[in-house]
Amino acid sequence: MSGAKGLDLTLKIWRQKNAQSKGKLETYQLNSVSPDSSFLEMLDILNNELIEKGESPVEFDHDCREGICGACSLYINGEPHGPGKRITTCQLHMRSFNDGDTIYIEPWRARAFPIIKDLVVDRSAFDRIQHAGGYISVNTSGNTQDANAIPIEKEYADEAFDAATCIGCGACVAACKNASASLFVSAKISQYALLPQGQVEAKNRVLNMVKQAEKEGFGPCSNTGACEVECPKGISIENIARMNREFLKASIAE
Amino acid sequence: MSLDSNIPEGPLKDKWTNHKNNINLVNPANKRNIDVIVVGTGLAGGSASATLAELGYNVKTFCYQDSPRRAHSIAAQGGINAAKNYQGDGDSTYRLFYDTIKGGDYRSREANTYRLAEVSANIIDQCVAQGVPFARDYGGLLDNRSFGGVLVSRTFYAKGQTGQQLLLGAYSAMNRQIAKGKIKMYNRHEMLDVVIVDGKARGIIARNLVTGEIERHSAHAVVLASGGYGNVFFLSTNAMGSNVTAAWKAHKKGAYFANPCYTQIHPTCIPVHGTQQSKLTLMSESLRNDGRIWVPKNLEDAKAVREGTLKPTDISEENRDYYLERRYPSFGNLVPRDVASRAAKERCDAGYGVVNNDTNEGVFLDFSAAIDRYGKEEAHVRGIENPSTDEIRKMGKKVIESKYGNLFEMYQQITAENPYETPMKIYPAVHYTMGGLWVDYNLMTNVKGLYSIGEANFSDHGANRLGASALMQGLADGYFVLPYTIGDYLAADIRTGKISTELPEFKEAEQKVTAQIESLLKNNGSKTVDYFHKKLGLIMWNKVGMARSIESLNQAIEEIAALREEFWNDVKVPGDANELNSELEKAGRVADFLELGELFARDALERDESCGGHFREEFQTEEGEALRRDDEFAYVAAWEYTGKPSEAIVHKEDLKFENVELKTRSYK
Ligand SMILES: Cc1cc2nc3c(=O)[nH]c(=O)nc-3n(C[C@H](O)[C@H](O)[C@H](O)COP(=O)(O)OP(=O)(O)OC[C@H]3O[C@@H](n4cnc5c(N)ncnc54)[C@H](O)[C@@H]3O)c2cc1C
Ligand code: SF4
Ligand code: FES
């Protein structure tokens, strides 16, 4: 795998000391990066160089580095999670870039995602939307009915699963010109709407979650589909259509 | 202090029921006056937080990530075990119990393991009720797959994202309680010490990772669900932030650390690509259902593969060595993890490795036979007569894709090779730690009121964990065990009232935390935290890894102690204390790993036998299999901190086997 020549890169990275201060793009030169390195390993290399030089390293969110925890973000060359379809930033590898490239690295930009430092943003609005209804009200008792008591058609089970794979990264918001959270919200609504267990609370769930998203300052959906294109998990905008139907149904019933 | 595991009397199968019937309960009105701190929001901490809040306790939950949903459990791929016997293949509570004891190489407690098997079925019911979308068959019923070390199909799954779906289930249960105000969630907070008042755990010191503020939090009991410590090896399949700090700080305050040397090295991970690598990626064990593991039979072929002059697909059947099928005909590719890992190492040490990296370490995991088999099955189902090879492969690939699609994509993303066309290359990597805080049957450490659940404790897996059993244990502990056993302890606290954070013990703990942070920032040495972490990782991997010897362990102990000293003299941590500073976070974690590493090696040195994931070169059979020494070592080693890892004292909990016969594991 190794052996290929390293890449020499120019990095333009958003630096911002904290929420209050103004940020700006800084330029860094980084040489001989292995094309087998991941994008975040490339930032690790940069940070170790910066620390050795006595400069402050670049803060960015990450944890699993496998595309599943949803912690990593980064707006790379104008695209959430960078080039490459259906991957997160931590799954992006340097072989997607060329020797001599200039790479722009910025945080998610949205009113509801304030910057904490450098490339780290505050996505707690997403959690608060989930608090508003992202659950089925069932206590842990140890005598719930047998799991196979209600068969669920494979087709619906699979569709619910697909919606449930949202990792809560926020790329959909970053990709949207209105900074709408509709794809994220609709993923949870759809998962439950497709399952029998989710029916009882369906009405309040959709009303409350949508209301909370508005309150957090996410914009309206104007169906451009930019979110679906950038979503690393391929969450389909059909979920938004389903959410809208659920919302309408619930509003009429109000 | 004596080590009483508090196992209830009575026959194995009645112990848990009887115990639940006999322990003290807290009445609902009184629960409102009791606070519980939970550190961690993985499957263990998330499920415990939600359940404790449902019961009425005031819960404060902490995680270092920006949301509870990102805990490392999210990354679990393959599945979760449960003795449901939906496949009618002879599974039962007893069989799951027996498989777990045997898989753990007879180094776990019978009573705990039996209880785990007993509550496993409830987990699946609970998760389905929460809306967890497990895989289903065409009849709409739940589907199962097989994992290593067992002969039944009892693993429930949601594609290759089982951990994600289970964790989101627990997260949703938490969200319901957060909305009700019963859980107060502290995201981006790191616990840096536990506070002990009059011998009881009464709170924690935590750092707000955004503002840097050091906070005191009090409670009537503290639950540590902080995950495993595999990152002591630097390279592992754990998330970057996974750490031992919470457990280690508790250890330094008196909690015993049990069996630190029991580490699981998972056989199927993507091999290391170079020195700049930051972490390793697991390829789920479920792949061994359909993948066959092999290396070339001839050394020249292995060399040619490494040099890129020979393609694996051009090596004929008779020139391949399917070494697991050869050595273990009855379990074949589905032997337990420790056995599979050592067998890969044996072949690579002998020169048959197929990867072109520093160590040539890697073997093939090949799906071509499965693609062929499934393709033929599909053709048959669809009534296609005499299908062409191309047609068969195409249909077969579709089946494989539906089972493992996301794993194949992940592999291709990382390696730029297409595993549908050429075999995957894999090699063992550090994955899970069976060791952890010592707990009794109630999941309480030897410090009163301090509990530990999930991977952070040592309890159920002995010297080796079976696949798909960690998720089971995390949820069993959090949903079904701890919420009951903790009531027995808290029943005595209903009149205590709020614990004040002005107590001198809080002040003292806070001062120590602040002092460590200051000394790290002031140090201004010449080397980064990663430099030390990588060095520690190499010592651990080479000397305390898949094979250990008296010589290598003694060297490791010396080298780690020296490295720790160098760290405190020469580490450079940039930035300030009162801001988001991930280098400072890492520095604190590596400082703890540098202490744990030494205890880890000492534990391995004391254990003069091979068992499960612990393989001592001095103790092996003629065929190179692990040689257990039950007469002397059928015990849990629980270490007490006395000031330095080198001076820790071992306490032994003897393991009694009354329901299974101690046997030499055989998967042949
Ligand atoms: C890649 C991978 C795949 C796996 N696949 C499977 C599988 O298919 N089946 C299976 O059974 N098992 C699997 N496992 C193992 C299993 O995922 C873990 O053992 C299990 O999820 C651990 O859960 P936990 O709740 O104990 O801890 P974790 O999920 O690790 O959670 C730890 C929590 O503690 C918090 N924390 C840690 N330290 C602190 C601190 N100091 N202060 C505050 N908070 C802290 C973290 O924020 C986090 O919330 C896999 C593991 C890996 C690495
Ligand atoms: S919908 Fe897609 S882009 Fe949006 S948060 Fe979920 S995974 Fe990320
Ligand atoms: S770091 Fe977890 S998804 Fe990227």
Side-chain angles (χ1 to χ4, degrees), chain B residues 383-403:
Chain B
I384 304 171
E385 270 174 51
N386 302 322
S388 70
T389 328
D390 263 6
E391 277 177 307
I392 291 176
R393 283 190 60 80
K394 214 166 138 195
M395 287 184 284
K397 281 182 203 166
K398 268 257 161 308
V399 178
I400 290 287
E401 191 190 335
S402 71
K403 292 186 156 204

Side-chain angles (χ1 to χ4, degrees), chain A residues 40 61-72 88-91 167:
Chain A
L40 296 185
D61 264 325
H62 66 103
D63 203 20
C64 72
R65 298 210 177 181
E66 298 194 348
I68 193 74
C69 74
C72 66
T88 54
T89 293
C90 61
Q91 292 175 296
I167 57 175

Side-chain angles (χ1 to χ4, degrees), chain B residues 549-563:
Chain B
S549 68
I550 294 183
E551 200 192 351
S552 76
L553 291 169
N554 277 318
Q555 286 169 357
I557 290 170
E558 228 170 85
E559 288 171 23
I560 295 168
L563 186 65

Side-chain angles (χ1 to χ4, degrees), chain B residues 61-123:
Chain B
T61 305
F62 295 78
C63 72
Y64 69 75
Q65 294 92 345
D66 68 333
S67 165
R69 67 179 294 155
R70 306 204 204 285
H72 166 60
S73 294
I74 200 93
Q77 302 171 347
I80 177 166
N81 289 329
K84 277 282 196 190
N85 194 26
Y86 281 162
Q87 305 305 322
D89 53 6
D91 201 9
S92 64
T93 301
Y94 182 81
R95 190 177 281 277
L96 174 52
F97 154 73
Y98 179 78
D99 287 344
T100 309
I101 292 270
K102 176 182 172 194
D105 218 354
Y106 304 91
R107 289 292 173 265
S108 44
R109 247 187 230 148
E110 279 191 345
N112 284 57
T113 308
Y114 192 87
R115 175 177 64 192
L116 176 65
E118 198 178 338
V119 302
S120 67
N122 292 341
I123 297 173

Side-chain angles (χ1 to χ4, degrees), chain A residues 70 80-81 88 108 113 123 126 163 165-175 180-188 227-228 230-236 239, chain B residues 69-70 164:
Chain A
H81 294 304
T88 54
W108 285 172
F113 289 161
R123 284 171 289 192
F126 267 14
T165 57
C166 162
I167 57 175
C169 62
C172 45
V173 175
S180 167
S182 292
L183 197 61
F184 168 78
V185 181
S186 73
K188 200 76 212 165
C227 53
E228 182 187 59
E230 297 298 346
C231 172
K233 295 292 133 178
I235 304 290
S236 150
N239 290 302
Chain B
R69 67 179 294 155
R70 306 204 204 285
Q164 180 196 30

Side-chain angles (χ1 to χ4, degrees), chain A residues 17 41 48 59 61 63-66 69 95 117 127 131 139-140 146-147 152 165-166 168 191 197, chain B residues 54 64-65 67 69-70 84 86 125 128 131 140 171 188 240-241 278-279 413-414 528 579-580 582:
Chain A
K17 187 146 175 53
E41 280 166 358
N48 275 300
E59 293 286 353
D61 264 325
D63 203 20
C64 72
R65 298 210 177 181
E66 298 194 348
C69 74
R95 65 179 83 89
K117 185 175 178 184
D127 282 325
H131 302 162
N139 277 358
T140 321
D146 185 84
I152 300 173
T165 57
C166 162
Q191 176 195 345
Q197 298 92 315
Chain B
E54 286 165 14
Y64 69 75
Q65 294 92 345
S67 165
R69 67 179 294 155
R70 306 204 204 285
K84 277 282 196 190
Y86 281 162
D125 298 341
V128 166
Y171 167 71
R188 292 199 199 264
M240 298 298 286
S278 62
K279 86 165 289 245
Q413 228 3 279
I414 293 172
T528 64
E579 59 174 352
L580 180 71
S582 47

Side-chain angles (χ1 to χ4, degrees), chain B residues 165-195:
Chain B
Q165 293 311 316
L166 295 172
L167 186 64
L168 293 181
Y171 167 71
S172 73
M174 281 182 77
N175 285 333
R176 178 168 163 241
Q177 299 304 322
I178 294 173
K180 288 184 178 169
K182 289 304 292 179
I183 298 179
K184 175 125 181 55
M185 187 62 223
Y186 295 86
N187 298 320
R188 292 199 199 264
H189 272 68
E190 182 163 27
M191 169 194 151
L192 294 176
D193 208 356
V194 48
V195 180

